Amino acid sequence: MAAHAEATSSFKLALIQLAVGSDKATNLSRAAEKVREAAQNGSKIVALPECFNSPYGTQYFKDYAEEVPAETGQPGPGAGESCKALSQVARECGVFLVGGSIPEVRKGKYYNTSMSFGPDGALLGVFRKVHLADVNIPGKLRFREPDVLSPGNKFLSFDTDWCKVGIGICYDLRFPELGSIYGLRGCKLLLYPGAFNTVTGPVHWELLIRGLAANNQLFVAGISSAQDLTASYHAWGHSMLCNPWGKVVVSADEKEGIVYGEVDLSEVDRVRSHIPVTAQKRWDLYSITDKTST
């Protein structure tokens, strides 16, 4: 097991841009291999992409769906195979692991769900995609997650040895209110497993990540699967980490790989002292309200 370091203001983050295929067992095995590689290279927080255990597409969600534990803590015998695999590799490597997302079935409904684990393998929390992709670009792209999926209605933030982390999934990037709520909760790092495509990705992926980072003055990472032009859905790739200044710290291309970025939390305080927009909010004129339970 990797040594669990004492808290400092800086740590290494790994974004795993996984090549996802049609065989779930192979996807889980390869994801675990990449988590081990990231841990061996000194990463303390590791993140996987959206739908890392299955092809991305409404036609696949039901076939690949699993149950997700209703309670936090060590997964019980009824947990799905993806949950068990993530818990095991997080514990083996001693890392905080954001398990991208998987298709979930719960009480007859289907969700796009992210599970996060601590270095002891315990489930820290679950985030079900709040904003479902419903896109119609004539002649280029038509995609409707609501045809199969139901939206989540809770947010997820959790503490690590370094900072609080907030979770969103893909299309949630387009709704800055979520990022603002996480900022108000005290998060200094936001992780968005995503699968932007080759139509919207070149224009919006980096733009949205950088904007979210700059507007909330915190670190934001987007974690994509690798691009496969033989698949029915063409992911954009280009996983990246942006700092509180809105600058891209590190970025991948479209191919499979691991992106490593140093998260220096002193940058959050430094940027906020230079441009103190948080203290300059006009709460007398507007508000951002978290209506969910924490």
Side-chain angles (χ1 to χ4, degrees), residues 1-25:
M1 176 182 290
H4 200 37
E6 295 182 0
T8 64
S9 64
S10 180
F11 63 90
K12 182 179 284 189
L13 170 70
L15 314 176
I16 297 176
Q17 187 161 292
L18 189 70
V20 178
S22 59
D23 185 82
K24 181 190 287 189

PDB file of all heavy atoms in Angstrom, residues 1-25:
ATOM      1  N   MET A   1       0.842  -1.194   0.000  1.00  0.00           N
ATOM      2  CA  MET A   1       0.000   0.000   0.000  1.00  0.00           C
ATOM      3  C   MET A   1       0.875   1.242   0.000  1.00  0.00           C
ATOM      4  O   MET A   1       1.880   1.299   0.691  1.00  0.00           O
ATOM      5  CB  MET A   1      -0.923  -0.008   1.233  1.00  0.00           C
ATOM      6  CG  MET A   1      -1.782   1.254   1.362  1.00  0.00           C
ATOM      7  SD  MET A   1      -2.806   1.228   2.862  1.00  0.00           S
ATOM      8  CE  MET A   1      -3.971  -0.055   2.439  1.00  0.00           C
ATOM      9  N   ALA A   2       0.450   2.251  -0.775  1.00  0.00           N
ATOM     10  CA  ALA A   2       1.207   3.495  -0.821  1.00  0.00           C
ATOM     11  C   ALA A   2       1.125   4.205   0.523  1.00  0.00           C
ATOM     12  O   ALA A   2       0.112   4.173   1.213  1.00  0.00           O
ATOM     13  CB  ALA A   2       0.656   4.392  -1.934  1.00  0.00           C
ATOM     14  N   ALA A   3       2.207   4.868   0.905  1.00  0.00           N
ATOM     15  CA  ALA A   3       2.217   5.606   2.153  1.00  0.00           C
ATOM     16  C   ALA A   3       1.239   6.758   2.085  1.00  0.00           C
ATOM     17  O   ALA A   3       1.139   7.446   1.075  1.00  0.00           O
ATOM     18  CB  ALA A   3       3.630   6.112   2.429  1.00  0.00           C
ATOM     19  N   HIS A   4       0.501   6.958   3.194  1.00  0.00           N
ATOM     20  CA  HIS A   4      -0.474   8.042   3.250  1.00  0.00           C
ATOM     21  C   HIS A   4       0.178   9.236   3.928  1.00  0.00           C
ATOM     22  O   HIS A   4       0.366   9.265   5.134  1.00  0.00           O
ATOM     23  CB  HIS A   4      -1.717   7.580   4.004  1.00  0.00           C
ATOM     24  CG  HIS A   4      -2.915   8.408   3.730  1.00  0.00           C
ATOM     25  ND1 HIS A   4      -3.196   8.938   2.492  1.00  0.00           N
ATOM     26  CD2 HIS A   4      -3.918   8.832   4.540  1.00  0.00           C
ATOM     27  CE1 HIS A   4      -4.314   9.616   2.543  1.00  0.00           C
ATOM     28  NE2 HIS A   4      -4.776   9.574   3.780  1.00  0.00           N
ATOM     29  N   ALA A   5       0.555  10.215   3.132  1.00  0.00           N
ATOM     30  CA  ALA A   5       1.365  11.320   3.627  1.00  0.00           C
ATOM     31  C   ALA A   5       0.586  12.243   4.550  1.00  0.00           C
ATOM     32  O   ALA A   5      -0.639  12.335   4.485  1.00  0.00           O
ATOM     33  CB  ALA A   5       1.910  12.117   2.446  1.00  0.00           C
ATOM     34  N   GLU A   6       1.313  12.923   5.448  1.00  0.00           N
ATOM     35  CA  GLU A   6       0.690  13.942   6.272  1.00  0.00           C
ATOM     36  C   GLU A   6       0.260  15.107   5.386  1.00  0.00           C
ATOM     37  O   GLU A   6       0.800  15.357   4.317  1.00  0.00           O
ATOM     38  CB  GLU A   6       1.682  14.426   7.328  1.00  0.00           C
ATOM     39  CG  GLU A   6       2.077  13.340   8.330  1.00  0.00           C
ATOM     40  CD  GLU A   6       3.019  13.869   9.379  1.00  0.00           C
ATOM     41  OE1 GLU A   6       3.357  15.068   9.308  1.00  0.00           O
ATOM     42  OE2 GLU A   6       3.402  13.097  10.267  1.00  0.00           O
ATOM     43  N   ALA A   7      -0.741  15.830   5.893  1.00  0.00           N
ATOM     44  CA  ALA A   7      -1.332  16.905   5.104  1.00  0.00           C
ATOM     45  C   ALA A   7      -0.312  17.998   4.809  1.00  0.00           C
ATOM     46  O   ALA A   7       0.441  18.420   5.673  1.00  0.00           O
ATOM     47  CB  ALA A   7      -2.525  17.487   5.852  1.00  0.00           C
ATOM     48  N   THR A   8      -0.273  18.439   3.573  1.00  0.00           N
ATOM     49  CA  THR A   8       0.522  19.586   3.161  1.00  0.00           C
ATOM     50  C   THR A   8      -0.365  20.446   2.281  1.00  0.00           C
ATOM     51  O   THR A   8      -1.524  20.136   2.037  1.00  0.00           O
ATOM     52  CB  THR A   8       1.764  19.140   2.373  1.00  0.00           C
ATOM     53  OG1 THR A   8       1.336  18.513   1.150  1.00  0.00           O
ATOM     54  CG2 THR A   8       2.608  18.163   3.179  1.00  0.00           C
ATOM     55  N   SER A   9       0.195  21.528   1.759  1.00  0.00           N
ATOM     56  CA  SER A   9      -0.593  22.422   0.908  1.00  0.00           C
ATOM     57  C   SER A   9      -0.526  22.014  -0.554  1.00  0.00           C
ATOM     58  O   SER A   9      -1.127  22.662  -1.403  1.00  0.00           O
ATOM     59  CB  SER A   9      -0.105  23.863   1.059  1.00  0.00           C
ATOM     60  OG  SER A   9       1.233  23.974   0.582  1.00  0.00           O
ATOM     61  N   SER A  10       0.200  20.939  -0.850  1.00  0.00           N
ATOM     62  CA  SER A  10       0.388  20.548  -2.243  1.00  0.00           C
ATOM     63  C   SER A  10       0.323  19.030  -2.365  1.00  0.00           C
ATOM     64  O   SER A  10       0.770  18.308  -1.480  1.00  0.00           O
ATOM     65  CB  SER A  10       1.739  21.057  -2.749  1.00  0.00           C
ATOM     66  OG  SER A  10       1.942  20.696  -4.100  1.00  0.00           O
ATOM     67  N   PHE A  11      -0.245  18.550  -3.470  1.00  0.00           N
ATOM     68  CA  PHE A  11      -0.320  17.114  -3.709  1.00  0.00           C
ATOM     69  C   PHE A  11      -0.430  16.862  -5.208  1.00  0.00           C
ATOM     70  O   PHE A  11      -0.778  17.753  -5.989  1.00  0.00           O
ATOM     71  CB  PHE A  11      -1.510  16.487  -2.973  1.00  0.00           C
ATOM     72  CG  PHE A  11      -2.853  17.002  -3.422  1.00  0.00           C
ATOM     73  CD1 PHE A  11      -3.558  16.386  -4.452  1.00  0.00           C
ATOM     74  CD2 PHE A  11      -3.413  18.115  -2.812  1.00  0.00           C
ATOM     75  CE1 PHE A  11      -4.785  16.865  -4.869  1.00  0.00           C
ATOM     76  CE2 PHE A  11      -4.646  18.604  -3.219  1.00  0.00           C
ATOM     77  CZ  PHE A  11      -5.339  17.976  -4.253  1.00  0.00           C
ATOM     78  N   LYS A  12      -0.149  15.625  -5.607  1.00  0.00           N
ATOM     79  CA  LYS A  12      -0.236  15.246  -7.010  1.00  0.00           C
ATOM     80  C   LYS A  12      -1.601  14.637  -7.303  1.00  0.00           C
ATOM     81  O   LYS A  12      -2.065  13.754  -6.590  1.00  0.00           O
ATOM     82  CB  LYS A  12       0.874  14.251  -7.375  1.00  0.00           C
ATOM     83  CG  LYS A  12       0.858  13.850  -8.859  1.00  0.00           C
ATOM     84  CD  LYS A  12       1.978  12.870  -9.211  1.00  0.00           C
ATOM     85  CE  LYS A  12       3.309  13.590  -9.313  1.00  0.00           C
ATOM     86  NZ  LYS A  12       4.365  12.675  -9.876  1.00  0.00           N
ATOM     87  N   LEU A  13      -2.207  15.112  -8.371  1.00  0.00           N
ATOM     88  CA  LEU A  13      -3.504  14.640  -8.850  1.00  0.00           C
ATOM     89  C   LEU A  13      -3.287  13.877 -10.151  1.00  0.00           C
ATOM     90  O   LEU A  13      -2.529  14.315 -11.023  1.00  0.00           O
ATOM     91  CB  LEU A  13      -4.439  15.827  -9.092  1.00  0.00           C
ATOM     92  CG  LEU A  13      -5.767  15.566  -9.805  1.00  0.00           C
ATOM     93  CD1 LEU A  13      -6.711  14.771  -8.911  1.00  0.00           C
ATOM     94  CD2 LEU A  13      -6.406  16.899 -10.221  1.00  0.00           C
ATOM     95  N   ALA A  14      -3.978  12.742 -10.309  1.00  0.00           N
ATOM     96  CA  ALA A  14      -3.894  11.960 -11.545  1.00  0.00           C
ATOM     97  C   ALA A  14      -5.264  11.868 -12.200  1.00  0.00           C
ATOM     98  O   ALA A  14      -6.250  11.512 -11.546  1.00  0.00           O
ATOM     99  CB  ALA A  14      -3.359  10.561 -11.264  1.00  0.00           C
ATOM    100  N   LEU A  15      -5.309  12.178 -13.491  1.00  0.00           N
ATOM    101  CA  LEU A  15      -6.526  12.081 -14.292  1.00  0.00           C
ATOM    102  C   LEU A  15      -6.309  10.958 -15.296  1.00  0.00           C
ATOM    103  O   LEU A  15      -5.432  11.050 -16.160  1.00  0.00           O
ATOM    104  CB  LEU A  15      -6.810  13.401 -15.021  1.00  0.00           C
ATOM    105  CG  LEU A  15      -6.683  14.684 -14.189  1.00  0.00           C
ATOM    106  CD1 LEU A  15      -6.903  15.899 -15.080  1.00  0.00           C
ATOM    107  CD2 LEU A  15      -7.658  14.660 -13.025  1.00  0.00           C
ATOM    108  N   ILE A  16      -7.095   9.892 -15.173  1.00  0.00           N
ATOM    109  CA  ILE A  16      -6.898   8.716 -16.017  1.00  0.00           C
ATOM    110  C   ILE A  16      -7.806   8.793 -17.237  1.00  0.00           C
ATOM    111  O   ILE A  16      -9.027   8.680 -17.127  1.00  0.00           O
ATOM    112  CB  ILE A  16      -7.166   7.425 -15.226  1.00  0.00           C
ATOM    113  CG1 ILE A  16      -6.160   7.301 -14.083  1.00  0.00           C
ATOM    114  CG2 ILE A  16      -7.093   6.206 -16.150  1.00  0.00           C
ATOM    115  CD1 ILE A  16      -6.395   6.095 -13.185  1.00  0.00           C
ATOM    116  N   GLN A  17      -7.208   9.024 -18.394  1.00  0.00           N
ATOM    117  CA  GLN A  17      -7.950   9.079 -19.656  1.00  0.00           C
ATOM    118  C   GLN A  17      -7.943   7.660 -20.246  1.00  0.00           C
ATOM    119  O   GLN A  17      -7.080   7.289 -21.029  1.00  0.00           O
ATOM    120  CB  GLN A  17      -7.318  10.090 -20.603  1.00  0.00           C
ATOM    121  CG  GLN A  17      -8.134  10.320 -21.871  1.00  0.00           C
ATOM    122  CD  GLN A  17      -7.770  11.609 -22.562  1.00  0.00           C
ATOM    123  OE1 GLN A  17      -8.017  12.703 -22.055  1.00  0.00           O
ATOM    124  NE2 GLN A  17      -7.161  11.516 -23.727  1.00  0.00           N
ATOM    125  N   LEU A  18      -8.934   6.892 -19.850  1.00  0.00           N
ATOM    126  CA  LEU A  18      -8.982   5.465 -20.138  1.00  0.00           C
ATOM    127  C   LEU A  18      -9.608   5.191 -21.502  1.00  0.00           C
ATOM    128  O   LEU A  18     -10.587   5.825 -21.891  1.00  0.00           O
ATOM    129  CB  LEU A  18      -9.807   4.761 -19.056  1.00  0.00           C
ATOM    130  CG  LEU A  18      -9.821   3.234 -19.044  1.00  0.00           C
ATOM    131  CD1 LEU A  18      -8.461   2.697 -18.622  1.00  0.00           C
ATOM    132  CD2 LEU A  18     -10.906   2.728 -18.098  1.00  0.00           C
ATOM    133  N   ALA A  19      -9.037   4.217 -22.211  1.00  0.00           N
ATOM    134  CA  ALA A  19      -9.664   3.701 -23.427  1.00  0.00           C
ATOM    135  C   ALA A  19     -10.689   2.661 -23.004  1.00  0.00           C
ATOM    136  O   ALA A  19     -10.335   1.611 -22.460  1.00  0.00           O
ATOM    137  CB  ALA A  19      -8.617   3.079 -24.343  1.00  0.00           C
ATOM    138  N   VAL A  20     -11.961   2.958 -23.228  1.00  0.00           N
ATOM    139  CA  VAL A  20     -13.056   2.122 -22.741  1.00  0.00           C
ATOM    140  C   VAL A  20     -13.582   1.247 -23.873  1.00  0.00           C
ATOM    141  O   VAL A  20     -13.850   1.731 -24.976  1.00  0.00           O
ATOM    142  CB  VAL A  20     -14.189   2.994 -22.174  1.00  0.00           C
ATOM    143  CG1 VAL A  20     -15.359   2.124 -21.721  1.00  0.00           C
ATOM    144  CG2 VAL A  20     -13.671   3.852 -21.021  1.00  0.00           C
ATOM    145  N   GLY A  21     -13.751  -0.033 -23.588  1.00  0.00           N
ATOM    146  CA  GLY A  21     -14.280  -0.967 -24.578  1.00  0.00           C
ATOM    147  C   GLY A  21     -15.629  -1.529 -24.167  1.00  0.00           C
ATOM    148  O   GLY A  21     -16.269  -1.038 -23.228  1.00  0.00           O
ATOM    149  N   SER A  22     -16.051  -2.583 -24.826  1.00  0.00           N
ATOM    150  CA  SER A  22     -17.378  -3.145 -24.586  1.00  0.00           C
ATOM    151  C   SER A  22     -17.396  -4.209 -23.496  1.00  0.00           C
ATOM    152  O   SER A  22     -18.475  -4.602 -23.039  1.00  0.00           O
ATOM    153  CB  SER A  22     -17.932  -3.749 -25.880  1.00  0.00           C
ATOM    154  OG  SER A  22     -17.069  -4.777 -26.359  1.00  0.00           O
ATOM    155  N   ASP A  23     -16.228  -4.688 -23.058  1.00  0.00           N
ATOM    156  CA  ASP A  23     -16.162  -5.732 -22.047  1.00  0.00           C
ATOM    157  C   ASP A  23     -15.964  -5.102 -20.667  1.00  0.00           C
ATOM    158  O   ASP A  23     -14.912  -4.512 -20.393  1.00  0.00           O
ATOM    159  CB  ASP A  23     -15.025  -6.707 -22.349  1.00  0.00           C
ATOM    160  CG  ASP A  23     -15.018  -7.877 -21.385  1.00  0.00           C
ATOM    161  OD1 ASP A  23     -15.786  -8.822 -21.604  1.00  0.00           O
ATOM    162  OD2 ASP A  23     -14.246  -7.824 -20.406  1.00  0.00           O
ATOM    163  N   LYS A  24     -16.963  -5.248 -19.800  1.00  0.00           N
ATOM    164  CA  LYS A  24     -16.906  -4.585 -18.497  1.00  0.00           C
ATOM    165  C   LYS A  24     -15.740  -5.081 -17.658  1.00  0.00           C
ATOM    166  O   LYS A  24     -15.011  -4.275 -17.038  1.00  0.00           O
ATOM    167  CB  LYS A  24     -18.215  -4.776 -17.729  1.00  0.00           C
ATOM    168  CG  LYS A  24     -18.217  -4.065 -16.364  1.00  0.00           C
ATOM    169  CD  LYS A  24     -19.401  -4.451 -15.507  1.00  0.00           C
ATOM    170  CE  LYS A  24     -20.680  -3.832 -16.007  1.00  0.00           C
ATOM    171  NZ  LYS A  24     -21.792  -4.030 -15.033  1.00  0.00           N
ATOM    172  N   ALA A  25     -15.530  -6.385 -17.616  1.00  0.00           N
ATOM    173  CA  ALA A  25     -14.449  -6.934 -16.801  1.00  0.00           C
ATOM    174  C   ALA A  25     -13.096  -6.389 -17.232  1.00  0.00           C
ATOM    175  O   ALA A  25     -12.240  -6.067 -16.398  1.00  0.00           O
ATOM    176  CB  ALA A  25     -14.459  -8.463 -16.871  1.00  0.00           C
TER     177      ALA A  25
END
